[in-house]
Amino acid sequence: MTRIAVVVFPGSNCEYDALTGVESLGADAELVWHSTKDLSGFDGVILPGGFAHGDYLRPGALARFSPVMDAVARFAEDGGAVLGICNGFQVLTEAGLLPGALQKNAGLKFLCQPTTLTVTSTDSILTANATLGQELVIPINHFSGAYVCDDETLARLEGSGQIILRYVENPNGSRGNIAGLANERGNVVGLMPHPERAMSTLLGSADGRVLLESFVAPRVRA
Amino acid sequence: MNFLVVVEVTLRRGIADPEGATIERALPALGFSGVSNVQAGKSFRMNVEAENEDAALDKATALAERLLSNPVIEDAVARLAEVHAT
């Protein structure tokens, strides 16, 4: 059975959604406190949404110095599957595990709404089970979700298939309509939308399932 | 010696500044005309213990680049505010 660690920072608030989400797909999931320095024995790690360390300074700016982040970096280096959702995506960019940064939304509004995404690459641990061009309805819930990077980085991301999800209608001013991206190896992924909140049609959408199914699928390390 | 250092963090040129733009758009309605290029940023004040001014500024610049700013989107500038008697 796939074992997933869901990291809890002081101020995380989506850890139970993430935990329940992957458990509903048959994974064995466990909450781990941000002071953990050892992630051995896990097949995947989720950095959940919320406001780690109060989002003081900048979202993710203090969380990247939490003890667990050295373990996350080693885990990623070893080819382990790392998924940052919303605040977790911000932490991954601050930690330099993913390129670019997340800046305040263009309209300066906190956005909490369903968005339609297009799968633009299946070459990642999050989109492997999806189909290229597939449209997914998944909610966003953020204030700092505008993806920013320089021209060179954007060109590189475009060319290497690292942009895995794009907004059909850009809600927040993200460059290249980027909603989610992967590192070069495809084993570290960050996205602003919340797939763990789109797990049941009864609650609006089940389109997050195909993403988390990809994430929890047993795999040989990259 | 103890130095009072101010670090200013601003968005790099070319990075959208929706906060500055919104403030700028609000000004005419309040009767302020002729104000342009409003940029929003952050300012940090700290006491820095160091041998001399240069060392204090070096320390503040280093911590500003490591923690106070995100070099992908922000620039940080440290300057001396005043010298405290030790």
Side-chain angles (χ1 to χ4, degrees), chain B:
Chain B
M1 296 267 285
N2 214 355
F3 298 91
L4 179 59
V5 177
V6 176
V7 175
E8 277 181 2
V9 175
T10 49
L11 287 168
R12 291 175 65 170
R13 194 176 290 274
I15 302 290
D17 179 6
E19 208 170 350
T22 304
I23 294 166
E24 187 168 325
R25 278 198 304 274
L27 290 173
L30 301 173
F32 297 101
S33 59
V35 182
S36 57
N37 285 322
V38 176
Q39 288 179 286
K42 295 186 191 110
S43 169
F44 303 87
R45 297 164 73 85
M46 62 200 78
N47 289 329
V48 178
E49 208 171 291
E51 288 284 304
N52 53 45
E53 294 184 356
D54 285 348
L57 286 177
D58 284 351
K59 195 191 275 191
T61 302
L63 73 87
E65 283 169 2
R66 180 121 165 87
L67 178 62
L68 300 184
S69 68
N70 178 345
V72 176
I73 51 171
E74 294 168 325
D75 287 323
V77 177
R79 63 183 165 80
L80 229 46
E82 64 188 79
V83 184
H84 282 308
T86 43

Side-chain angles (χ1 to χ4, degrees), chain A residues 57-58 94 103-104 108 148, chain B residues 16 19 22 42 67-68 70:
Chain A
L57 201 55
R58 297 179 304 281
E94 281 283 339
Q103 156 70 315
K104 291 185 181 77
L108 282 184
V148 182
Chain B
E19 208 170 350
T22 304
K42 295 186 191 110
L67 178 62
L68 300 184
N70 178 345

